[in-house]
Amino acid sequence: MIYLNGQYMPIEEARIPVLDRGFIFGDGIYEYVPVFDRAPFRLHEHYTRLVNSLAAVQIPNPFTEAELAAVVHKLIAAHPWPNQGIYLHITRGVAPRDHSFPKNIKPTVFMMSNQLVLPTQMQIEEGLAVVTREDIRWLRCDVKSISLLGHCMLRNEATDQGCAEVIMLRDGFLTEASSSNVMVVRNGVVLCPPKDNLILPGISYNVVLELLNSHHIPHEVRPVSAAELHSADEVWITSSTKDVLAVTHMDGKPVGTGKPGPLFARVRALFLGLKAQLKAASHD
Ligand code: PDD
């Protein structure tokens, strides 16, 4: 069962007009909310990011936070999996093809839930292999736009090399990965690229930053150079589907020892501890 413009229906019955600006221009924004043990994770933060993305591209917000939560809970209840990923997609709507924003059209709103596949034991214990590439995307990567062709082209280069992700650099500095944020550990200090227009402000990035703060783990939020990335002791990627995972091979070379590092193990354990606390609270 999916949600489309106020109605619930089987996905096979969902229809979108070809003049939808999402189809014609990629004119829309999206969110992805992970659900653990049937409880949405950080829904308020996802809602806030949604509101910011919509405002940045002047699409009217179709949902209050309570309305969004109601649809999310209905979709969760309609599916059997304890862990789900709620995909939410809002386009500007349907109008004759014209680059300027048309006035007074209704946004198209689509939501679906899929099973969330958590990282495998192998991915956690061995880490991931990635490639690095120049960041060829636009300069508003803070907006969660549905126009993901740059992300897809770069990710596909990683896939062609047998790698899980691509880490991007812009003008000699680390930005992020195609669907995750990146942090780097050097000499016991976690380096986090600043949340500016060049990266998506990841909800998982924020969770890790909170954990670094609350556990007094040395860290710096500042631009991270290519040289620092390439001489890192540890590299991590964070996202809703991966929590935090170690990158152990980059461009065919080992990162640090080529195994997930000690700070990664500590932060991943803290992340899982936080999720377990939430689970306990939601069952109280
Ligand atoms: N991707 N950077 C990019 C470009 C992303 O697409 C994502 C998330 C992240 C991590 O954000 P968060 O921690 O809020 O998941 C960073 C989602 C999962 C996706 O595209 O499906």
Side-chain angles (χ1 to χ4, degrees):
M1 187 178 81
I2 63 100
Y3 171 95
L4 182 63
N5 296 329
Q7 291 184 320
Y8 294 89
M9 63 190 80
I11 194 159
E12 297 75 22
E13 286 173 20
R15 297 281 178 276
I16 303 284
V18 289
L19 285 181
D20 191 287
R21 289 178 61 96
F23 183 60
I24 297 287
F25 291 117
D27 182 358
I29 65 94
Y30 78 106
E31 266 302 323
Y32 180 91
V33 184
V35 172
F36 302 112
D37 266 304
R38 311 197 76 80
F41 185 68
R42 301 233 161 169
L43 188 55
H44 174 69
E45 286 82 348
H46 282 280
Y47 181 75
T48 304
R49 188 170 67 186
L50 172 73
V51 169
N52 292 341
S53 292
L54 289 169
V57 300
Q58 299 170 49
I59 293 178
N61 179 4
F63 282 130
T64 64
E65 189 167 345
E67 285 164 349
L68 176 68
V71 181
V72 166
H73 283 108
K74 202 154 172 179
L75 286 175
I76 295 171
H79 294 94
W81 319 293
N83 299 325
Q84 303 181 26
I86 305 278
Y87 177 79
L88 157 62
H89 181 114
I90 301 175
T91 75
R92 194 175 306 278
V94 182
R97 185 177 182 278
D98 176 9
H99 289 63
S100 304
F101 297 162
K103 302 264 179 289
N104 304 323
I105 58 168
K106 258 183 82 169
T108 300
V109 184
F110 166 55
M111 285 172 72
M112 65 177 170
S113 180
N114 286 299
Q115 184 169 19
L116 176 60
V117 180
L118 297 176
T120 62
Q121 213 47 36
M122 169 99 162
Q123 287 173 325
I124 297 165
E125 285 166 16
E126 298 297 322
L128 303 179
V130 306
V131 294
T132 61
R133 288 289 184 274
E134 182 64 19
D135 195 337
I136 58 166
R137 303 171 305 156
W138 71 333
L139 295 173
R140 288 306 306 274
C141 294
D142 54 321
V143 175
K144 208 160 168 52
S145 161
I146 61 169
S147 311
L148 291 173
L149 192 52
H151 302 69
C152 293
M153 287 169 70
L154 292 170
R155 167 69 75 81
N156 198 53
E157 289 190 30
T159 307
D160 283 348
Q161 307 283 321
C163 290
E165 251 294 19
V166 50
I167 291 182
M168 296 177 275
L169 294 149
R170 198 190 283 272
D171 302 330
F173 287 90
L174 168 66
T175 54
E176 59 181 342
S178 70
S179 66
S180 27
N181 291 109
V182 180
M183 293 180 183
V184 164
V185 182
R186 293 181 85 244
N187 308 317
V189 181
V190 186
L191 306 178
C192 315
K195 286 183 285 176
D196 55 17
N197 61 311
L198 300 182
I199 70 169
L200 186 80
I203 308 298
S204 323
Y205 170 111
N206 285 341
V207 171
V208 171
L209 203 55
E210 281 168 32
L211 291 169
L212 297 176
N213 271 315
S214 57
H215 293 267
H216 309 290
I217 297 170
H219 61 279
E220 293 170 13
V221 177
R222 62 162 176 82
V224 180
S225 71
E228 289 174 313
L229 173 69
H230 289 298
S231 61
D233 301 319
E234 300 184 27
V235 174
W236 309 340
I237 55 176
T238 68
S239 89
S240 292
T241 52
K242 303 181 187 87
D243 306 324
V244 49
L245 285 176
V247 170
T248 46
H249 291 86
M250 199 158 53
D251 297 329
K253 298 189 204 87
V255 175
T257 62
K259 291 274 174 201
L263 257 183
F264 161 74
R266 181 158 175 222
V267 168
R268 182 166 173 86
L270 292 171
F271 204 132
L272 297 187
L274 184 125
K275 285 204 309 199
Q277 270 173 23
L278 290 178
K279 180 175 153 189
S282 74
H283 291 238
D284 277 350

mmCIF file of all heavy atoms in Angstrom, residues 30 32 46 49 137 144 151 176-181 200-205 238-241, ligand 1:
data_model
loop_
_atom_site.group_PDB
_atom_site.id
_atom_site.type_symbol
_atom_site.label_atom_id
_atom_site.label_comp_id
_atom_site.label_asym_id
_atom_site.label_seq_id
_atom_site.Cartn_x
_atom_site.Cartn_y
_atom_site.Cartn_z
ATOM 1 N N TYR A 30 12.672 15.244 -1.555
ATOM 2 C CA TYR A 30 12.295 13.980 -0.933
ATOM 3 C C TYR A 30 12.878 13.870 0.465
ATOM 4 O O TYR A 30 13.713 14.683 0.884
ATOM 5 C CB TYR A 30 12.696 12.778 -1.801
ATOM 6 C CG TYR A 30 14.162 12.382 -1.758
ATOM 7 C CD1 TYR A 30 14.573 11.243 -1.064
ATOM 8 C CD2 TYR A 30 15.140 13.122 -2.409
ATOM 9 C CE1 TYR A 30 15.912 10.860 -1.035
ATOM 10 C CE2 TYR A 30 16.473 12.748 -2.375
ATOM 11 C CZ TYR A 30 16.853 11.604 -1.691
ATOM 12 O OH TYR A 30 18.172 11.227 -1.650
ATOM 13 N N TYR A 32 13.774 10.492 3.478
ATOM 14 C CA TYR A 32 13.815 9.051 3.724
ATOM 15 C C TYR A 32 13.922 8.870 5.239
ATOM 16 O O TYR A 32 14.916 9.269 5.836
ATOM 17 C CB TYR A 32 15.013 8.419 3.018
ATOM 18 C CG TYR A 32 15.109 6.934 3.229
ATOM 19 C CD1 TYR A 32 14.497 6.045 2.327
ATOM 20 C CD2 TYR A 32 15.782 6.404 4.321
ATOM 21 C CE1 TYR A 32 14.563 4.679 2.527
ATOM 22 C CE2 TYR A 32 15.842 5.041 4.524
ATOM 23 C CZ TYR A 32 15.239 4.186 3.619
ATOM 24 O OH TYR A 32 15.307 2.831 3.812
ATOM 25 N N HIS A 46 13.544 14.873 10.571
ATOM 26 C CA HIS A 46 13.263 14.670 9.146
ATOM 27 C C HIS A 46 12.227 15.681 8.663
ATOM 28 O O HIS A 46 12.340 16.215 7.559
ATOM 29 C CB HIS A 46 12.777 13.235 8.897
ATOM 30 C CG HIS A 46 13.900 12.240 8.885
ATOM 31 N ND1 HIS A 46 14.717 12.045 7.790
ATOM 32 C CD2 HIS A 46 14.364 11.407 9.844
ATOM 33 C CE1 HIS A 46 15.629 11.138 8.072
ATOM 34 N NE2 HIS A 46 15.445 10.729 9.318
ATOM 35 N N ARG A 49 13.901 19.027 8.192
ATOM 36 C CA ARG A 49 14.705 19.074 6.958
ATOM 37 C C ARG A 49 13.796 19.173 5.726
ATOM 38 O O ARG A 49 14.109 19.887 4.775
ATOM 39 C CB ARG A 49 15.633 17.853 6.884
ATOM 40 C CG ARG A 49 16.638 17.935 5.742
ATOM 41 C CD ARG A 49 17.700 16.867 5.818
ATOM 42 N NE ARG A 49 17.157 15.523 5.603
ATOM 43 C CZ ARG A 49 17.855 14.408 5.724
ATOM 44 N NH1 ARG A 49 19.132 14.462 6.078
ATOM 45 N NH2 ARG A 49 17.298 13.232 5.514
ATOM 46 N N ARG A 137 28.299 17.681 -8.628
ATOM 47 C CA ARG A 137 26.893 18.054 -8.419
ATOM 48 C C ARG A 137 26.725 19.579 -8.346
ATOM 49 O O ARG A 137 27.692 20.316 -8.338
ATOM 50 C CB ARG A 137 26.394 17.386 -7.139
ATOM 51 C CG ARG A 137 26.544 15.863 -7.180
ATOM 52 C CD ARG A 137 26.255 15.246 -5.832
ATOM 53 N NE ARG A 137 27.097 15.832 -4.799
ATOM 54 C CZ ARG A 137 26.797 15.845 -3.497
ATOM 55 N NH1 ARG A 137 25.686 15.291 -3.074
ATOM 56 N NH2 ARG A 137 27.621 16.414 -2.629
ATOM 57 N N LYS A 144 17.388 18.475 -0.259
ATOM 58 C CA LYS A 144 17.230 17.050 -0.607
ATOM 59 C C LYS A 144 16.378 16.933 -1.872
ATOM 60 O O LYS A 144 15.207 16.551 -1.836
ATOM 61 C CB LYS A 144 16.643 16.270 0.582
ATOM 62 C CG LYS A 144 17.078 14.804 0.584
ATOM 63 C CD LYS A 144 16.923 14.167 1.943
ATOM 64 C CE LYS A 144 17.056 12.657 1.948
ATOM 65 N NZ LYS A 144 18.224 12.075 1.334
ATOM 66 N N HIS A 151 24.500 12.305 -8.420
ATOM 67 C CA HIS A 151 24.739 11.269 -7.409
ATOM 68 C C HIS A 151 24.775 9.886 -8.066
ATOM 69 O O HIS A 151 25.633 9.058 -7.766
ATOM 70 C CB HIS A 151 23.618 11.232 -6.362
ATOM 71 C CG HIS A 151 23.392 12.513 -5.612
ATOM 72 N ND1 HIS A 151 22.871 13.639 -6.194
ATOM 73 C CD2 HIS A 151 23.583 12.820 -4.312
ATOM 74 C CE1 HIS A 151 22.771 14.597 -5.292
ATOM 75 N NE2 HIS A 151 23.193 14.128 -4.129
ATOM 76 N N GLU A 176 30.905 14.811 0.648
ATOM 77 C CA GLU A 176 30.169 13.695 1.257
ATOM 78 C C GLU A 176 30.225 12.516 0.303
ATOM 79 O O GLU A 176 31.013 12.515 -0.643
ATOM 80 C CB GLU A 176 28.731 14.121 1.564
ATOM 81 C CG GLU A 176 27.963 14.568 0.330
ATOM 82 C CD GLU A 176 26.533 15.020 0.616
ATOM 83 O OE1 GLU A 176 25.993 14.702 1.685
ATOM 84 O OE2 GLU A 176 25.949 15.672 -0.270
ATOM 85 N N ALA A 177 29.379 11.510 0.523
ATOM 86 C CA ALA A 177 29.286 10.380 -0.398
ATOM 87 C C ALA A 177 27.938 10.459 -1.121
ATOM 88 O O ALA A 177 27.121 11.329 -0.834
ATOM 89 C CB ALA A 177 29.444 9.078 0.368
ATOM 90 N N SER A 178 27.690 9.541 -2.082
ATOM 91 C CA SER A 178 26.508 9.713 -2.949
ATOM 92 C C SER A 178 25.200 9.590 -2.183
ATOM 93 O O SER A 178 24.207 10.203 -2.565
ATOM 94 C CB SER A 178 26.536 8.726 -4.109
ATOM 95 O OG SER A 178 26.312 7.417 -3.661
ATOM 96 N N SER A 179 25.174 8.788 -1.094
ATOM 97 C CA SER A 179 23.957 8.758 -0.268
ATOM 98 C C SER A 179 24.310 8.625 1.209
ATOM 99 O O SER A 179 23.579 8.009 1.981
ATOM 100 C CB SER A 179 22.996 7.641 -0.715
ATOM 101 O OG SER A 179 23.575 6.386 -0.485
ATOM 102 N N SER A 180 25.424 9.225 1.601
ATOM 103 C CA SER A 180 25.826 9.220 3.014
ATOM 104 C C SER A 180 26.770 10.381 3.287
ATOM 105 O O SER A 180 27.349 10.946 2.353
ATOM 106 C CB SER A 180 26.498 7.894 3.395
ATOM 107 O OG SER A 180 27.112 7.281 2.309
ATOM 108 N N ASN A 181 26.907 10.735 4.556
ATOM 109 C CA ASN A 181 27.909 11.723 4.967
ATOM 110 C C ASN A 181 29.201 10.995 5.328
ATOM 111 O O ASN A 181 29.206 9.792 5.550
ATOM 112 C CB ASN A 181 27.399 12.534 6.160
ATOM 113 C CG ASN A 181 26.259 13.461 5.788
ATOM 114 O OD1 ASN A 181 25.115 13.231 6.170
ATOM 115 N ND2 ASN A 181 26.549 14.493 5.020
ATOM 116 N N LEU A 200 24.518 17.393 2.324
ATOM 117 C CA LEU A 200 23.209 17.251 2.950
ATOM 118 C C LEU A 200 23.408 17.215 4.472
ATOM 119 O O LEU A 200 24.281 16.492 4.958
ATOM 120 C CB LEU A 200 22.556 15.935 2.497
ATOM 121 C CG LEU A 200 21.129 15.788 3.007
ATOM 122 C CD1 LEU A 200 20.178 16.600 2.138
ATOM 123 C CD2 LEU A 200 20.685 14.336 3.042
ATOM 124 N N PRO A 201 22.598 17.998 5.218
ATOM 125 C CA PRO A 201 22.710 17.898 6.685
ATOM 126 C C PRO A 201 22.078 16.584 7.155
ATOM 127 O O PRO A 201 20.880 16.507 7.416
ATOM 128 C CB PRO A 201 21.942 19.128 7.180
ATOM 129 C CG PRO A 201 21.019 19.500 6.076
ATOM 130 C CD PRO A 201 21.607 18.998 4.794
ATOM 131 N N GLY A 202 22.880 15.544 7.229
ATOM 132 C CA GLY A 202 22.378 14.198 7.529
ATOM 133 C C GLY A 202 21.865 14.081 8.956
ATOM 134 O O GLY A 202 22.465 14.631 9.886
ATOM 135 N N ILE A 203 20.762 13.374 9.107
ATOM 136 C CA ILE A 203 20.225 13.141 10.450
ATOM 137 C C ILE A 203 21.206 12.234 11.214
ATOM 138 O O ILE A 203 21.466 12.449 12.404
ATOM 139 C CB ILE A 203 18.820 12.493 10.368
ATOM 140 C CG1 ILE A 203 17.882 13.301 9.453
ATOM 141 C CG2 ILE A 203 18.229 12.309 11.766
ATOM 142 C CD1 ILE A 203 17.574 14.708 9.849
ATOM 143 N N SER A 204 21.776 11.254 10.532
ATOM 144 C CA SER A 204 22.741 10.349 11.183
ATOM 145 C C SER A 204 24.039 11.091 11.518
ATOM 146 O O SER A 204 24.648 10.837 12.561
ATOM 147 C CB SER A 204 23.045 9.153 10.286
ATOM 148 O OG SER A 204 21.895 8.741 9.607
ATOM 149 N N TYR A 205 24.463 12.001 10.654
ATOM 150 C CA TYR A 205 25.626 12.867 10.927
ATOM 151 C C TYR A 205 25.379 13.599 12.249
ATOM 152 O O TYR A 205 26.249 13.654 13.117
ATOM 153 C CB TYR A 205 25.790 13.835 9.763
ATOM 154 C CG TYR A 205 26.784 14.980 9.924
ATOM 155 C CD1 TYR A 205 27.960 15.010 9.174
ATOM 156 C CD2 TYR A 205 26.533 16.064 10.777
ATOM 157 C CE1 TYR A 205 28.860 16.071 9.286
ATOM 158 C CE2 TYR A 205 27.422 17.125 10.903
ATOM 159 C CZ TYR A 205 28.582 17.127 10.156
ATOM 160 O OH TYR A 205 29.463 18.175 10.272
ATOM 161 N N THR A 238 28.030 7.776 7.263
ATOM 162 C CA THR A 238 26.819 7.739 8.097
ATOM 163 C C THR A 238 25.600 7.952 7.205
ATOM 164 O O THR A 238 25.626 8.766 6.292
ATOM 165 C CB THR A 238 26.831 8.856 9.168
ATOM 166 O OG1 THR A 238 26.704 10.129 8.523
ATOM 167 C CG2 THR A 238 28.094 8.842 9.999
ATOM 168 N N SER A 239 24.553 7.180 7.466
ATOM 169 C CA SER A 239 23.264 7.427 6.791
ATOM 170 C C SER A 239 22.175 6.656 7.501
ATOM 171 O O SER A 239 22.448 5.765 8.311
ATOM 172 C CB SER A 239 23.299 7.028 5.314
ATOM 173 O OG SER A 239 22.939 5.686 5.151
ATOM 174 N N SER A 240 20.927 6.985 7.134
ATOM 175 C CA SER A 240 19.769 6.352 7.755
ATOM 176 C C SER A 240 19.762 4.838 7.558
ATOM 177 O O SER A 240 19.237 4.109 8.379
ATOM 178 C CB SER A 240 18.495 6.921 7.145
ATOM 179 O OG SER A 240 18.370 8.256 7.536
ATOM 180 N N THR A 241 20.308 4.370 6.435
ATOM 181 C CA THR A 241 20.286 2.927 6.178
ATOM 182 C C THR A 241 21.536 2.233 6.715
ATOM 183 O O THR A 241 21.549 1.016 6.847
ATOM 184 C CB THR A 241 20.189 2.637 4.663
ATOM 185 O OG1 THR A 241 21.229 3.362 4.009
ATOM 186 C CG2 THR A 241 18.843 3.070 4.106
HETATM 187 N N1 PDD B 1 20.368 9.329 1.693
HETATM 188 N N2 PDD B 1 24.148 12.682 1.932
HETATM 189 C C1 PDD B 1 23.355 12.337 0.898
HETATM 190 C C2 PDD B 1 23.672 12.876 -0.455
HETATM 191 C C3 PDD B 1 22.251 11.486 1.114
HETATM 192 O O1 PDD B 1 21.446 11.155 0.087
HETATM 193 C C4 PDD B 1 22.002 10.984 2.422
HETATM 194 C C5 PDD B 1 20.823 10.102 2.727
HETATM 195 C C6 PDD B 1 22.860 11.367 3.468
HETATM 196 C C7 PDD B 1 22.649 10.904 4.878
HETATM 197 O O2 PDD B 1 21.510 11.516 5.464
HETATM 198 P P1 PDD B 1 20.690 10.785 6.630
HETATM 199 O O3 PDD B 1 21.636 10.485 7.711
HETATM 200 O O4 PDD B 1 19.659 11.779 6.999
HETATM 201 O O5 PDD B 1 20.117 9.510 6.011
HETATM 202 C C8 PDD B 1 23.912 12.235 3.189
HETATM 203 C C9 PDD B 1 19.109 8.599 1.838
HETATM 204 C C10 PDD B 1 19.202 7.498 2.823
HETATM 205 C C11 PDD B 1 18.640 8.155 0.461
HETATM 206 O O6 PDD B 1 18.932 8.871 -0.490
HETATM 207 O O7 PDD B 1 17.977 7.142 0.351
#
